Amino acid sequence: MTTHVVSKNKLTLLLMGLAVAIGMSAWLTIAASGASDVTQDPKGDALSATESANKVAPGTPADVARDYLDIKSIKVTKQNGNDRYVFSMTVAGPVPQDLGTENCYHRTGPAFDTTTILVNPPDAGACFFAWNWDLDDDGTPFGVNQISPTVRWINGGFQGIAFLNGGAFTFDDFSVNGAHITASVDASEIESRVDVSDGFYVQGVTRNHRIDFGGDPAVGVADTSDVSQVSN
């Protein structure tokens, strides 16, 4: 049997080469995942309605975080043949088809007030929940976005609406199917407001109740995903 002896210098070079190879492999893996249009989000990090009222501790009436507002992943796909963008979101549990039967909460009082109240009963029509995809072309995290396609429960039913910086328009091509929410918007509506030539950025946001108009826009937010870049 022949024994091969590797010198200390050669062993060092071999280890360095192995480290470089591993590093390159990891870099390529990261680069590949970074180009993906799917963004994953940890399960179990959603806030309850009371907690999301400026992130205060749960109060009275007590409420719990909803699994159907707990983002697991978001995805953006451009359907070139149909010239549309499809936005999808998977949450941790099925979305009830009648959210008016849920315990619904709302912030009360002036801007920045952290008090939440139970709004149903008596008024099931006051229940509000939302699933947003916030888009822009500069990677700005949650805040004022160029366009935010949204599926929301309002006035006793689901609605598709895209919020703009200074306006909004509604759309009918959306679905709420179990734990999957999708919205489809004409590409011209997106590309007239967002520069997609070098890709664009998206963040998923869910809401327990209506925004604190005039106050903190984070009030009512149940969960947010990371901001990720979508290649075009």
Side-chain angles (χ1 to χ4, degrees):
M1 181 178 69
T2 304
T3 301
H4 295 279
V5 179
V6 180
S7 70
K8 184 176 179 180
N9 287 341
K10 288 183 178 179
L11 180 60
T12 300
L13 290 173
L14 285 172
L15 291 175
M16 288 176 63
L18 180 62
V20 170
I22 293 173
M24 284 297 294
S25 175
W27 183 87
L28 289 171
T29 300
I30 292 170
S33 64
S36 172
D37 59 357
V38 178
T39 303
Q40 305 294 334
D41 190 71
K43 183 178 178 180
D45 61 345
L47 298 174
S48 71
T50 309
E51 290 170 325
S52 66
N54 262 343
K55 300 181 176 63
V56 296
T60 304
D63 65 310
V64 296
R66 317 301 174 94
D67 55 3
Y68 52 81
L69 296 176
D70 185 4
I71 301 170
K72 290 180 63 179
S73 66
I74 63 170
K75 183 177 181 179
V76 181
T77 305
K78 184 178 182 183
Q79 295 182 332
N80 289 317
N82 296 327
D83 205 25
R84 300 184 69 81
Y85 284 90
V86 177
F87 305 90
S88 61
M89 181 182 296
T90 301
V91 290
V95 181
Q97 287 301 298
D98 184 1
L99 285 162
T101 64
E102 296 288 286
N103 286 334
C104 305
Y105 300 82
H106 190 28
R107 190 197 64 80
T108 186
F112 298 104
D113 190 300
T114 61
T115 305
T116 53
I117 60 170
L118 186 68
V119 297
N120 75 312
D123 185 10
C127 289
F128 181 94
F129 300 94
W131 298 263
N132 300 60
W133 296 265
D134 292 347
L135 311 181
D136 61 43
D137 48 32
D138 61 6
T140 303
F142 176 78
V144 178
N145 301 97
Q146 289 157 287
I147 184 169
S148 297
T150 300
V151 175
R152 65 181 182 177
W153 176 272
I154 188 170
N155 298 328
F158 289 107
Q159 179 190 54
I161 185 168
F163 292 98
L164 313 173
N165 189 2
F169 64 88
T170 58
F171 58 89
D172 296 324
D173 194 353
F174 66 89
S175 69
V176 180
N177 184 10
H180 305 284
I181 304 100
T182 62
S184 178
V185 180
D186 191 274
S188 64
E189 297 283 8
I190 303 297
E191 294 173 357
S192 64
R193 298 173 173 91
V194 179
D195 181 2
V196 303
S197 57
D198 294 323
F200 58 92
Y201 296 87
V202 60
Q203 180 176 34
V205 181
T206 60
R207 284 192 171 275
N208 282 298
H209 49 73
R210 288 178 174 87
I211 191 171
D212 180 10
F213 289 107
D216 184 347
V219 166
V221 171
D223 197 12
T224 60
S225 73
D226 288 338
V227 178
S228 61
Q229 188 172 20
V230 178
S231 57
N232 199 15

